[in-house]
Amino acid sequence: MAWRVSSRRGLQSDRAHLRGSGARRVASPAVDEEANPRPRRPAIVAVDDEPAVLAAVARDLRRGFGEHYRILRAHSGPEALDLLRELRTRGDQVALLIADQRMPGMAGTEYLVQARQIVPDAKRVLLTAYADTEAAIAAINEVALDYYLLKPWDPPEEQLFPVVEDLLQTWESGAALEAGGLRVIGHRFSKASHDLRDFLARNRVPARWLDVERDGEARELLVVAGIDAERLPVALLEDGTVLERPTVLELAERLGVTGQPAADHYDLVIVGGGPAGLAAAVYGASEGLRTVLVEREAPGGQAGQSSRIENYLGFPMGLSGSDLARRGTDQARRLGAELLTVQDAVALRAEGAGRIVTLTGGTTLSANCVLVASGVSYNQMNAPGFAGLTGQGIYYGAAMTEARACADQHVVIIGGANSAGQAAVYFAGWAGRVTMLVRAASLTKSMSHYLIEQIAALPNVEVRTGAQAVAAEGDEQGRLRRLRIRAADGSETLEDVDACFVFIGAAPRTDWLDGVVARDERGFILAGPDAQRAGWPLARDPYLLETTVPGVFVAGDVRARSIKRVASAVGEGSMAVSLIHQYLVDG
């Protein structure tokens, strides 16, 4: 890319435009914005101390994205921080931050650390020279970097635009969730309210959450709608419909999230929308199989609740479970797969060459083959007090919808595997104090090394090995307030806690297959050689991922002896489609 020097207008120029009409147009400073008003657009803020580089960055960004975003510039980190504060004061959205690493006075990483406190939702990109690659990689964890770009890039259509477009698309999907016409009013410490919020967030339904105790708007809306506060949660739909105390299924049906099967018969029915199921949907549809996927909660499964997956190949900056789920869902639908969500499989039977899956509500799906990728669920704590406080301070899984509400609070994470470690790192960015209770003597047996190192570097995270929660106590409103914790030496303490997130063990979702396919003593499904030893009915050997029912395959965490990792689940989902092809051809 040829860097082009232009006149140095700098931050003063961009701020002058910022203070003018809210519908300003940065693409051409000479344009009269008052005469050509436009809706206010989110901002992309670029900072570099070299005028030529900054001008080139702004020019390329303006050419590729100026139609929908305002491109603002600053020549130093401190100036850019002032600009961000001004944008926040005005209530403007900031979608993307692009900063050069080598700047005098304040390096790009230092600026991005401080900028994250001002605009935490903005995507962050570091500009580096080839010699700074190591520094950029080291900064990934420090600033939660989304990408680093080597400069110069040539051509921008190949080296710059795809990267920025992907980041902006991810940002837009998150921003849309905060700006939807659907409004949900409820109590933060209410299981019913939490279930609705979690459902909307995990299914990426644009909605606004209003806490009746903190938001005056929530109380005003209740008065206007004539709704008693005792009837919460309440969902206010865009068409004016008011739903009092709706169940997740009722809300899903009103929003059209569930969907109905479009065909009477399919080549492949996939049960479970986690990484294995989504991978199978992508590969099945791409190979021409008429494919439908059924997911009981939300695409992504348990992995979709992960705050950040950092060891998945091809994503050096890591990605959240929800982002992985969104990408997989979009890809599967684009290739022609059908997705039925908030519906669960309750029975399976074989009828000749057909395989019939019965869903909640009585709907049936007929197929030539079935892939079971229903995954696992976190085990429930059986200690006193936990059951009654679930959803009211105690949560199973990461429950990202609760993260911001935990600002400056004490959060307890129970568990010692990767999912618990990812949650600890994530909540450390919001909570004042994070305590991990790990029953084992150390983290090394169950947690990846990179997570152990990250946790050790976080000053507000305390890891207590050999410790466990033995009871939970609530206050008069039924909210979690204290945990009784037993230390490795047997002593017990009663500690104030604001929220607790549980990640202990996993139970397979296979009760609906009882008496149909063979399972091991823990409920995991037997396949391949294990299925052959458990009562395989045909003369041929079962395929590697085939269960004891011919034409019914299994993939992912629900399979006996599987490796509980996202990458292996994706691999098994794609491999299952290849085996299903062989089954359909050879019988």
Side-chain angles (χ1 to χ4, degrees):
M1 172 181 185
W3 301 112
R4 183 178 66 188
V5 180
S6 63
S7 60
R8 178 167 180 162
R9 300 180 56 85
L11 177 68
Q12 293 76 16
S13 170
D14 287 327
R15 275 192 172 168
H17 283 283
L18 185 62
R19 294 193 185 97
S21 167
R24 56 174 297 283
R25 182 185 179 90
V26 181
S28 175
V31 172
D32 181 357
E33 292 292 342
E34 296 296 336
N36 296 275
R38 296 182 58 184
R40 185 179 296 179
R41 293 162 290 163
I44 297 174
V45 178
V47 54
D48 198 303
D49 65 303
E50 296 183 33
V53 176
L54 184 60
V57 172
R59 181 197 66 221
D60 286 342
L61 290 173
R62 193 169 289 129
R63 182 160 62 89
F65 307 97
E67 180 67 20
H68 302 290
Y69 293 87
R70 293 175 294 158
I71 314 302
L72 305 179
R73 299 169 293 166
H75 289 91
S76 71
E79 289 183 347
L81 292 173
D82 287 343
L83 176 57
L84 293 178
R85 294 187 187 98
E86 190 170 338
L87 288 166
R88 282 299 304 273
T89 301
R90 287 171 50 92
D92 289 353
Q93 293 179 301
V94 179
L96 180 67
L97 305 176
I98 299 181
D100 186 63
Q101 170 61 6
R102 292 192 179 186
M103 295 188 293
M106 180 181 287
T109 50
E110 183 182 353
Y111 155 70
L112 290 175
V113 166
Q114 296 188 37
R116 189 182 181 190
Q117 304 303 314
I118 304 171
V119 284
D121 297 326
K123 296 300 177 181
R124 292 169 289 276
V125 175
L126 195 66
L127 299 180
T128 67
Y130 182 77
D132 297 326
T133 301
E134 291 299 323
I137 294 175
I140 291 173
N141 293 330
E142 181 183 358
V143 301
L145 199 65
D146 293 292
Y147 212 90
Y148 68 87
L149 281 168
L150 295 177
K151 57 180 186 180
W153 44 76
D154 185 27
E157 290 79 5
E158 296 180 10
Q159 304 296 328
L160 175 67
F161 292 170
V163 171
V164 173
E165 183 176 4
D166 183 68
L167 291 172
L168 291 176
Q169 183 179 4
T170 301
W171 176 85
E172 286 175 356
S173 67
L177 300 182
E178 302 292 331
L182 170 65
R183 290 163 293 179
V184 176
I185 303 172
H187 297 278
R188 176 193 168 193
F189 293 101
S190 157
K191 185 180 187 305
S193 296
H194 168 75
D195 289 347
L196 291 183
R197 293 174 63 199
D198 195 55
F199 156 74
L200 293 170
R202 293 188 62 196
N203 283 277
R204 308 196 69 80
V205 177
R208 290 178 58 210
W209 159 251
L210 299 172
D211 188 334
V212 72
E213 296 177 353
R214 299 183 180 184
D215 298 313
E217 181 184 354
R219 295 187 290 274
E220 292 173 4
L221 284 171
L222 292 179
V223 172
V224 171
I227 300 171
D228 192 321
E230 298 298 320
R231 299 290 299 169
L232 299 181
V234 168
L236 306 176
L237 278 58
E238 289 184 279
D239 63 3
T241 302
V242 178
L243 301 179
E244 299 181 18
R245 292 182 176 176
T247 66
V248 168
L249 182 58
E250 288 170 346
L251 184 58
E253 290 175 343
R254 291 302 299 265
L255 296 173
V257 173
T258 54
Q260 294 297 322
D264 296 327
H265 186 80
Y266 294 86
D267 296 312
L268 172 61
V269 170
I270 302 167
V271 179
L278 286 173
V282 167
Y283 279 86
S286 68
E287 293 299 319
L289 298 180
R290 185 145 201 179
T291 302
V292 61
L293 181 149
V294 180
E295 166 55 40
R296 60 179 291 181
E297 293 178 350
Q302 191 183 70
Q305 296 179 285
S306 296
S307 55
R308 199 163 189 85
I309 304 168
E310 299 195 49
N311 56 355
Y312 189 62
L313 182 66
F315 291 88
M317 314 301 167
L319 79 167
S320 68
S322 62
D323 193 24
L324 178 64
R326 176 186 62 82
R327 293 168 184 266
T329 300
D330 292 347
Q331 192 173 13
R333 283 180 169 146
R334 181 178 64 83
L335 291 168
E338 292 180 40
L339 272 68
L340 307 179
T341 57
V342 201
Q343 300 193 53
D344 200 8
V346 296
L348 170 69
R349 70 180 188 273
E351 291 186 357
R355 304 292 177 262
I356 311 299
V357 176
T358 303
L359 308 181
T360 48
T363 301
T364 59
L365 297 174
S366 171
N368 296 322
C369 292
V370 171
L371 174 66
V372 180
S374 49
V376 296
S377 300
Y378 290 115
N379 288 331
Q380 304 288 298
M381 290 282 291
N382 57 12
F386 273 80
L389 293 168
T390 298
Q392 300 179 94
I394 292 176
Y395 309 96
Y396 290 86
M400 299 305 162
T401 51
E402 304 296 333
R404 295 191 184 186
C406 293
D408 302 322
Q409 296 185 342
H410 181 199
V411 171
V412 169
I413 307 290
I414 299 178
N418 275 8
S419 53
Q422 291 163 353
V425 172
Y426 180 75
F427 281 102
W430 299 95
R433 176 187 172 198
V434 176
T435 301
M436 292 191 70
L437 302 181
V438 182
R439 180 173 295 189
S442 73
L443 293 172
T444 55
K445 183 178 180 180
S446 56
M447 189 178 294
S448 296
H449 179 68
Y450 80 91
L451 274 173
I452 296 175
E453 287 190 328
Q454 287 184 31
I455 291 170
L458 293 170
N460 61 335
V461 177
E462 176 192 9
V463 179
R464 301 186 194 177
T465 55
Q468 56 184 306
V470 295
E473 297 181 5
D475 59 15
E476 57 276 7
Q477 283 81 38
R479 307 171 181 176
L480 174 67
R481 280 293 175 256
R482 289 168 295 276
L483 287 180
R484 183 170 294 278
I485 299 173
R486 181 179 297 157
D489 61 4
S491 63
E492 294 185 1
T493 57
L494 190 62
E495 301 187 24
D496 291 338
V497 174
D498 297 294
C500 175
F501 299 87
V502 182
F503 304 82
I504 55 166
R509 295 174 170 175
T510 59
D511 289 346
W512 62 288
L513 294 170
D514 188 27
V516 181
V517 301
R519 301 176 293 162
D520 67 12
E521 65 281 359
R522 294 184 299 161
F524 291 90
I525 298 174
L526 302 176
D530 291 333
Q532 189 166 28
R533 291 188 291 269
W536 174 249
L538 302 183
R540 70 167 175 85
D541 292 340
Y543 294 109
L544 186 61
L545 298 179
E546 197 169 15
T547 71
T548 50
V549 177
V552 176
F553 294 76
V554 62
D557 291 358
V558 74
R559 182 179 66 84
R561 298 199 288 182
S562 64
I563 298 173
K564 306 301 188 284
R565 288 291 185 268
V566 173
S568 62
V570 170
E572 287 191 13
S574 58
M575 181 171 66
V577 172
S578 177
L579 299 175
I580 287 168
H581 262 293
Q582 293 182 45
Y583 171 84
L584 292 174
V585 172
D586 300 333

